[in-house]
Structures are given as structure tokens and as C-alpha cells.
Amino acid sequence: MKLRTLVAALGATLLVAPALADEPLKLGYIDPLSGGGASIGAIGLKTFQYLADELNAGGGVNGQKVEIVPLDNKTNPQESLIQAQKAADQGVRFITQGNGSSVAAALTDWVAKYNDRNPGKEMLYFNYAAVDPVLTNDKCSYWHFRWDANSDIKMAALTTYMKTQPEIKKIYLINQDYSFGHSVSQTARAMLKEKRPDIEIVGDEFHPLLKVTDFSPYIAKIKASGADSVITGNWGQDFALLLKAAADAGLQANWYTYYAGGAGGPTAVKQTGLSHRVFEITEGVPNAATPEAQAWEAAFRAKEGVTLFYPRAVNEMRMLAKAATEAKSTDAKAVAAKLEGMKIQVFDGGEGFMRAEDHQFFQPMYISSFGVQDPGAKFDEEGTGWGWKLVGAVKAEDTVLPTTCKMERP
């Protein structure tokens, strides 16, 4: 009787294992595919689909094919929760999102509550671009992992560079009116006061998120203030339209940004005529990347017709695959345990690591300027003939800031 039971169990295992391998590893992509953020959301979707195809060409993850499930949240927190539930209903155990820290905060809370109610069916939330520091501080969660540097880390690197620019005398702050925009403003004020107390803040403006179609009134205020430089965390159409209005008004100022390289940004910068006067803080610069990264990006651009805006998405997907392979499982808790403290060689070169205490990823950061290409530069942007030039770099270990996270672990 015992022998029969063992044979039956082995037979059941042989039947189940291929069935599990046949099921895809689903990653729910919850970002705007319509509305004001659609252009940047569509690029993110292309990026993750390309990365899934790359993993699948190598045999998938633990023999499972990776499937990206697109879920349009219209950059709306409440809609995002509806899409998260749809993902759960489809058997999705990993979701990723990046556009909007208000969305990220809502998803972090939802995933934690969902996991409490559904033991054995836990989900992980992979954040590739929502950078409000609170997400890995007071609102940190075991189920949330962030691959982008938070806005405090980015501002620390950016202001360290700005400290060395003596021509900066008067700065105007303009940001989107939500948690991330307020964080950019607050942190910029604090860090500039510490590093360059001689700089005068001549304006601190907030505007509705993805609703303004004409930024000329804001540009008029910047011109009237006498600012020689502007700091903005604007992204998507809010950056492109802001720069378009600056070009129309002939504003002569330097711009220190988080997302000038986003969709439409390079075209808007070219329209201003301000060669190498618009700066961006990123985790990679295509024209200064390693040969391997440049070859990968060339193939990506040729196939998808867009720039790799998210090197961190490459890191995210490679780390997901590594964690699942090491765990020999795609169970959310097993993958989370492997991700904590994981070190990898990041896409653009150098080592990055996922801090276990708060699930914040640290990596080298770079400051670049956009303008007329240097001889031999490989990549221009959006057909402008202009490209990004490396002007400053910060090692991963020098980007580490303390955390207030007090994580509850399952």
C-alpha cells in the first residue's frame, strides 16, 4: 500500500511539473497607456516587453516564459488599484510601476493588504521610477522594491555638481503639485542651503500634474525673477511643454532636471537652442556607457525605435530572473528573500546593490548635459542631432543616504 502511494505521488509530480513549467511568469505592467502620461507609459511597456523577450530567448525563468500583462492606470491612484486587482485575478504575482509617486504609495498599501488577506498567493511590487523618498522610509514595505534612486539621492548628486558651478546665483524651482514635486522642492532648498548658501531661491512654483497645456505664464514668472538656473522634477508632457514655452519666450537659463531625457524632452531642449545648458541626473549615459551596454542599446533602439530611458528596468528584470533561479521558485516570498542584499553588475557598468533594510537599490549616478554631439558620440536623441555628454559621476557607495524604514517582515 505504501509502495502504491509513493508511485501515485511520483506520477502526480511528473504530471504537475510540466504543467507548472507551461504556465508563464506574469509581470503586470501598471502605468499610463492613455491620457497625459501615455507617451512615457508606452515606452516603458516596450522596454519591459523587450526584456521579457530577451529572457524568453534564453529559456525563460526556471523554464517558465515571461509574459508582460499591460494594465492602463491613466496615472490615477484609484484606477491603479482596480488594475492591481485585475492582475491578481489573472494570477499575476509580480507587478511593476513607475510613473507617479502617488500611484506608488497607493500600490504599496494595496499590495501589503492583499498579501495579508491572501497567504500563499502573495504579490511583489517592483518600482522602477517612482522616487518619493517616503516609499523606502516611513512607508517602506517588505513587498516593495525600488530600482530607481529616490529623489533625495538624485538631488544630493545633482547639487554636489551644482556646488562646483560658480555662475549659479539665482535659482527658480518649478515642480508638479504632488508628493514627488514637493519632495524635489524641499530637498533642493535644504541641500543648496548646505552646499551653496550664497545661491538665492527666487521662485518656488507648483502646477497641476499632467493638466497644463500652456506653460507660458510660468515661464514669464521665471524670466521676471531674473533666475539664471531652474531646477525641475517635471516629467512627461509637463517637461516637454515647459521647455517648449521656454523656447518660445527665449528664456536664457540653465536647467537642472531629473527627466529631460524623457519622451519629447530632447526635442524640446533642441528647440531652446541651449546646447549643453540642460542637465539631467540618471543612472546611465548612452554615449559614455560600456561597449556591452552600447551594443545592447543599439539593438534595442533598432528594434523598438526609442531610447532606453530605463536602464534600471534592465537591472530589475535581470535581478528578478537571478532571484527566482537562486530560489528555484517564483513564489513572491522566496524571490523577495533572494532580492534582499543582492549585488549585481548594473547595465551601464559598476556594481549596484539592493539594501535589505528598506529595499532601495543603489547604483552609480551620472550628470550629463544635452547638446551638440562630440566627435565619435554614438547616440543622438529623437533625431535632433544632439546627444548626452557625461559631465559628472557619483559612485554607488557615495549615493547611500540613511533610512528611517522600520520594516515589518512576514
Side-chain angles (χ1 to χ4, degrees), residues 105-284:
L107 284 174
T108 298
D109 289 342
W110 185 90
V111 170
K113 291 174 183 176
Y114 175 86
N115 289 348
D116 284 344
R117 295 193 302 266
N118 296 275
K121 296 181 179 180
E122 289 86 359
M123 300 175 71
L124 290 184
Y125 163 35
F126 295 159
N127 173 358
Y128 72 92
V131 296
D132 189 338
V134 74
L135 297 168
T136 45
N137 283 291
D138 293 350
K139 285 184 67 67
C140 68
S141 167
Y142 183 79
W143 311 107
H144 166 267
F145 290 82
R146 172 159 51 197
W147 271 266
D148 200 358
N150 72 40
S151 62
D152 285 357
I153 294 169
K154 292 185 178 187
M155 187 58 71
L158 200 59
T159 52
T160 295
Y161 174 77
M162 294 173 72
K163 178 182 178 179
T164 68
Q165 306 304 303
E167 70 275 12
I168 302 176
K169 304 294 184 184
K170 295 182 178 182
I171 284 182
Y172 200 101
L173 307 174
I174 181 166
N175 289 285
Q176 296 151 318
D177 191 9
Y178 75 116
S179 59
F180 163 61
H182 285 267
S183 176
V184 171
S185 171
Q186 181 180 355
T187 308
R189 281 181 169 277
M191 291 185 176
L192 286 171
K193 183 177 180 180
E194 176 189 352
K195 299 174 184 179
R196 281 287 305 276
D198 59 302
I199 290 177
E200 182 183 358
I201 305 295
V202 295
D204 194 353
E205 189 92 23
F206 298 98
H207 63 81
L209 175 65
L210 300 176
K211 295 186 185 306
V212 179
T213 57
D214 179 10
F215 278 91
S216 57
Y218 296 95
I219 295 298
K221 290 182 183 180
I222 297 173
K223 288 188 75 173
S225 74
D228 54 63
S229 302
V230 179
I231 292 178
T232 182
N234 278 22
W235 53 270
Q237 70 176 28
D238 282 345
F239 179 80
L241 293 176
L242 178 65
L243 263 287
K244 181 180 183 302
D248 292 344
L251 175 62
Q252 296 293 307
N254 290 338
W255 294 77
Y256 294 91
T257 80
Y258 284 30
Y259 302 118
T267 298
V269 176
K270 175 68 179 292
Q271 290 173 343
T272 68
L274 300 177
S275 180
H276 295 296
R277 293 184 62 184
V278 176
F279 301 86
E280 182 181 40
I281 178 73
T282 59
E283 75 272 22

Side-chain angles (χ1 to χ4, degrees), residues 204-409:
D204 194 353
E205 189 92 23
F206 298 98
H207 63 81
L209 175 65
L210 300 176
K211 295 186 185 306
V212 179
T213 57
D214 179 10
F215 278 91
S216 57
Y218 296 95
I219 295 298
K221 290 182 183 180
I222 297 173
K223 288 188 75 173
S225 74
D228 54 63
S229 302
V230 179
I231 292 178
T232 182
N234 278 22
W235 53 270
Q237 70 176 28
D238 282 345
F239 179 80
L241 293 176
L242 178 65
L243 263 287
K244 181 180 183 302
D248 292 344
L251 175 62
Q252 296 293 307
N254 290 338
W255 294 77
Y256 294 91
T257 80
Y258 284 30
Y259 302 118
T267 298
V269 176
K270 175 68 179 292
Q271 290 173 343
T272 68
L274 300 177
S275 180
H276 295 296
R277 293 184 62 184
V278 176
F279 301 86
E280 182 181 40
I281 178 73
T282 59
E283 75 272 22
V285 180
N287 285 325
T290 64
E292 295 79 8
Q294 288 196 344
W296 193 100
E297 176 143 0
F300 174 78
R301 291 189 184 209
K303 183 176 187 296
E304 303 296 344
V306 295
T307 299
L308 177 65
F309 294 124
Y310 306 116
R312 52 193 174 271
V314 183
N315 299 333
E316 174 186 319
M317 291 294 278
R318 290 177 179 176
M319 288 175 72
L320 167 59
K322 182 181 179 182
T325 300
E326 290 181 358
K328 298 181 175 59
S329 171
T330 53
D331 172 74
K333 286 199 288 189
V335 169
K338 291 296 182 180
L339 285 174
E340 287 197 323
M342 181 181 286
K343 296 180 179 179
I344 66 159
Q345 288 296 304
V346 298
F347 176 77
D348 279 295
E351 188 175 82
F353 65 95
M354 181 66 71
R355 185 163 63 183
E357 289 85 351
D358 59 351
H359 297 178
Q360 171 66 59
F361 190 66
F362 292 94
Q363 59 204 310
M365 300 297 295
Y366 303 94
I367 298 97
S368 56
S369 64
F370 189 71
V372 177
Q373 290 274 60
D374 287 340
K378 189 168 185 177
F379 300 108
D380 77 346
E381 304 299 337
E382 298 183 348
T384 60
W386 285 15
W388 292 100
K389 176 182 178 179
L390 179 66
V391 298
V394 184
K395 295 178 181 179
E397 56 267 31
D398 293 332
T399 72
V400 176
L401 296 178
T403 179
T404 60
C405 175
K406 299 186 185 305
M407 187 176 289
E408 294 184 11
R409 298 173 180 275

Side-chain angles (χ1 to χ4, degrees), residues 73-83 101-107:
N73 70 353
K74 305 176 179 64
T75 328
N76 181 282
Q78 290 305 314
E79 183 64 30
S80 298
L81 304 189
I82 294 171
Q83 298 304 322
S101 289
S102 56
V103 171
L107 284 174

